[in-house]
């Protein structure tokens, strides 16, 4: 069993940057694809970015406008989401997810483990 714990969220002003972290425990996730999803108030949870097990292949949703960078450090069993030039519309709970497969999926239904989420609130 894998436990995922996100951290790094908070209340920031527009234009700031944040780095979200997702630490895994229970077993190594170095062979798992991982992803970040965001759920804005009143909206469904959507994929933001995903990364394969090696970290060499990534995917970003068009809406993130190159401001988001997903990465991972398999030695630390941790994934990251760097967000720059934060906008009020980035306000959401961000969830980390891991999949048994080594290549990422765009569907949340293909992820086996989820964290509890970390709140990011961006003020204008």
């Amino acid at each position: 069993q894998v436990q995922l714990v996100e951290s790094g969220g908070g209340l920031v002003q527009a234009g700031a940057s944040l780095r979200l972290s997702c630490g895994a425990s229970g077993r190594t996730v170095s062979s798992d694809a991982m992803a970040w999803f965001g759920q804005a108030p009143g909206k469904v949870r959507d994929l933001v970015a995903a990364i394969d097990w090696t970290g060499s292949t990534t995917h970003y949703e068009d809406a993130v406008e190159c401001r988001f960078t997903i990465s991972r450090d398999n030695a630390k069993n941790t994934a990251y989401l760097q967000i720059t030039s934060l906008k009020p519309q980035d306000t959401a709970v961000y969830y980390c997810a891991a999949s048994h497969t080594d290549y990422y999926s765009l569907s949340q239904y293909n992820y086996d483990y989820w964290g509890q989420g970390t709140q990011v609130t961006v003020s204008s």
Side-chain angles (χ1 to χ4, degrees):
Q1 193 74 357
V2 173
Q3 293 80 43
L4 301 176
V5 178
E6 302 95 336
S7 62
L11 172 62
V12 297
Q13 290 191 330
S17 298
L18 281 176
R19 189 176 79 157
L20 308 183
S21 297
C22 172
S25 62
R27 67 164 176 80
T28 178
V29 292
S30 61
S31 298
D32 295 10
M34 298 189 73
W36 288 92
F37 290 77
Q39 186 166 19
K43 297 189 177 182
V44 299
R45 186 166 61 186
D46 285 327
L47 177 68
V48 171
I51 189 166
D52 76 338
W53 72 281
T54 67
S56 62
T57 305
T58 58
H59 169 84
Y60 298 95
E61 290 299 289
D62 291 343
V64 305
E65 302 170 350
C66 301
R67 296 183 295 113
F68 290 44
T69 303
I70 189 171
S71 62
R72 64 190 300 162
D73 185 338
N74 285 342
K76 295 183 178 179
N77 226 23
T78 300
Y80 304 96
L81 184 68
Q82 177 81 33
I83 314 173
T84 61
S85 302
L86 278 154
K87 303 177 180 181
Q89 53 264 45
D90 296 324
T91 294
V93 178
Y94 288 83
Y95 297 91
C96 173
S99 170
H100 286 310
T101 61
D102 55 6
Y103 199 78
Y104 58 77
S105 169
L106 303 186
S107 169
Q108 63 177 314
Y109 300 106
N110 292 327
Y111 288 87
D112 304 288
Y113 305 104
W114 291 85
Q116 292 300 305
T118 185
Q119 175 72 49
V120 173
T121 303
V122 185
S123 63
S124 58

